[in-house]
Amino acid sequence: MAVVEADLEACQGYANCVLAADDYFDLDDNGVVVMLKIEVPESERTRVEEAARSCPVKALLVVDE
């Protein structure tokens, strides 16, 4: 199974990931990504990878566990 990793230091709160996959990502009160789910089933991998790639500062990555 794949997992999502977030670089909280890199996150700048653009929220592209939230728009693309709001069941996986949210922003806290400081505008930093909050992971709602970490494990990504194969059936959702493409959508979550697209959400991660939408981050302009590349703060998100989907990797195989």
Side-chain angles (χ1 to χ4, degrees), residues 14-21 25 48-58 60:
Y14 287 99
N16 293 3
C17 59
V18 177
L19 294 173
F25 309 105
V48 176
E49 283 179 331
E50 288 174 3
R53 282 194 303 267
S54 75
C55 178
V57 296
K58 305 203 182 318
L60 299 169

Side-chain angles (χ1 to χ4, degrees), residues 2-8 10 17 24-25 33 35 37-40 45 48-55 57-65:
V3 295
V4 181
E5 296 178 352
D7 181 345
L8 302 180
C17 59
Y24 278 83
F25 309 105
V33 69
M35 307 296 295
K37 298 180 192 176
I38 295 173
E39 294 182 345
V40 182
R45 185 171 181 147
V48 176
E49 283 179 331
E50 288 174 3
R53 282 194 303 267
S54 75
C55 178
V57 296
K58 305 203 182 318
L60 299 169
L61 185 62
V62 178
V63 297
D64 289 316
E65 193 172 41

